[in-house]
Amino acid sequence: MQSRKINISLEIWRQENPEAPGSFQRYSLAGLSADMSFLEMLDVLNERLTLEGQEPVAFDHDCREGICGMCGAVVNGQPHGPEPGTTLCQLHLRHFKDGDHLVIEPFRARAFRIEKDLVVDRSSLDQIIQAGGYVSVNTGGAPDANTIAIPQQTAEQAMDAAACIGCGACVAACPNASAMLFVSARVSQLALLPQGQPERRLRALNMVGSMDELGFGNCSNERECEAACPKGISIRHIARLNREFLKAALF
Ligand code: FES
C-alpha cells in the first residue's frame, strides 16, 4: 500500500559554531512519506543540501530507537516535538498535516552550549552523574529477583526512575532550565534500592551541588519537565529528591 505523501516547510536554526551568531533558515520538502521518521526527514534535507554543495544540518542521533537519549531538538516550541512520550527519533511525519510549517531549534539552556545548528553540548548532565549518580560499592553477582527483599511497588518506582535516558528535554522545557527532573530520577532510583544506601546522603548533596555549579536553574514547580519527558518521568521524584537533600543536609 502506498504511504500518504506530505509537504513540509521547515525553519531550522543554523549556527556555524558556538561563537557564531545563529539564525533561522527556511527549507521546503515535498512528497515526503508520512511513514518517515522526523530524523529521516532531516536526512532527506541533508542529502539535498549536500548535492547542492551546501552544509548539511548538524543534529545529534544514535540509536534512533528512543533508548540512548542522543537525539533532541525543539519542534514548534516543544522539546522532542508534539507527541507525548516520544523522542524525536521516534516521532513520525504521520503526526503532521500536509503543508505544516515546523520551526526546529536546539535545546536551549545556559548549561547546554550550542555546538553547531541543532547539536548542543549536554556533557554537563554527565558531570552531574559523575558527582554521585552511581554505586561504587561491590554489589556482587546478580541475585535471583525473588531473593531481594524489596517490595514490588518500590522496585517498580525505581525502575520508573531508571527509565530516564538523560536527553535533556526536561532542561529545555523548564523556564528556569533546571535539571531537577533528571537529577531526581537518578537520586530516586538509587535511594529506593539497597545498593544505593551507602552513598545515599552524599549522592543527594553532591548531585544537587554539581547541578547548581554547572548553571542549571531551580525548580519552581512549573511541571513543564514532566510534560516534555519522553519517558514519562514523574515530578514525584523531585519531591523525593527534596526530601533526600533535606535529610542529608540536616544530617
Ligand atoms: S537517537 Fe537514541 S533516543 Fe533518539
Side-chain angles (χ1 to χ4, degrees):
M1 195 173 69
Q2 279 258 310
S3 69
R4 183 167 66 95
K5 301 284 183 201
I6 59 172
N7 304 320
I8 298 275
S9 65
L10 304 171
E11 208 167 326
I12 303 179
W13 184 260
R14 303 300 311 264
Q15 184 171 334
E16 187 55 41
N17 58 55
E19 283 74 40
S23 64
F24 284 102
Q25 303 288 320
R26 287 172 176 266
Y27 306 96
S28 295
L29 292 172
L32 298 168
S33 163
D35 293 331
M36 192 177 270
S37 75
F38 197 89
L39 297 190
E40 285 169 339
M41 174 188 73
L42 293 180
D43 290 338
V44 169
L45 172 66
N46 278 347
E47 267 178 41
R48 193 182 88 190
L49 292 176
T50 306
L51 288 172
E52 291 170 353
Q54 297 184 54
E55 187 73 18
V57 177
F59 64 94
D60 261 332
H61 60 103
D62 192 356
C63 69
R64 296 199 177 202
E65 293 181 346
I67 51 177
C68 74
M70 276 300 288
C71 65
V74 175
V75 181
N76 287 354
Q78 291 176 279
H80 289 298
E83 277 301 295
T86 307
T87 55
L88 195 65
C89 61
Q90 291 287 289
L91 181 65
H92 285 79
L93 297 191
R94 68 180 77 100
H95 298 295
F96 298 100
K97 294 194 299 292
D98 184 33
D100 267 356
H101 179 74
L102 308 181
V103 179
I104 310 171
E105 54 187 318
F107 284 174
R108 295 186 193 275
R110 202 169 96 193
F112 290 170
R113 189 174 73 162
I114 297 176
E115 293 295 331
K116 184 172 182 172
D117 300 335
L118 304 177
V119 176
V120 294
D121 178 1
R122 286 170 285 179
S123 60
S124 48
L125 297 182
D126 300 330
Q127 290 177 54
I128 296 176
I129 293 293
Q130 285 163 9
Y134 52 80
V135 170
S136 60
V137 293
N138 184 354
T139 59
D144 286 342
N146 60 4
T147 63
I148 306 173
I150 311 171
Q152 188 184 351
Q153 199 186 6
T154 306
E156 294 285 349
Q157 286 174 15
M159 286 301 290
D160 289 347
C164 172
I165 55 174
C167 62
C170 51
V171 178
C174 177
N176 311 322
S178 172
M180 279 290 272
L181 194 67
F182 167 76
V183 174
S184 71
R186 197 60 171 171
V187 165
S188 218
Q189 175 204 344
L190 296 175
L192 287 162
L193 297 175
Q195 296 90 333
Q197 300 313 306
E199 291 150 310
R200 185 171 178 171
R201 291 201 174 94
L202 266 183
R203 177 178 304 114
L205 292 175
N206 290 345
M207 289 184 77
V208 170
S210 171
M211 176 178 68
D212 290 344
E213 271 169 30
L214 290 161
F216 292 97
N218 290 320
C219 173
S220 50
N221 286 321
E222 311 295 331
R223 301 191 73 167
E224 298 288 343
C225 54
E226 187 181 54
C229 177
K231 296 298 167 184
I233 305 290
S234 165
I235 61 160
R236 278 182 307 205
H237 295 296
I238 296 183
R240 181 173 291 106
L241 169 61
N242 287 335
R243 291 197 296 275
E244 290 292 316
F245 182 80
L246 198 62
K247 275 192 268 181
L250 288 174
F251 188 78

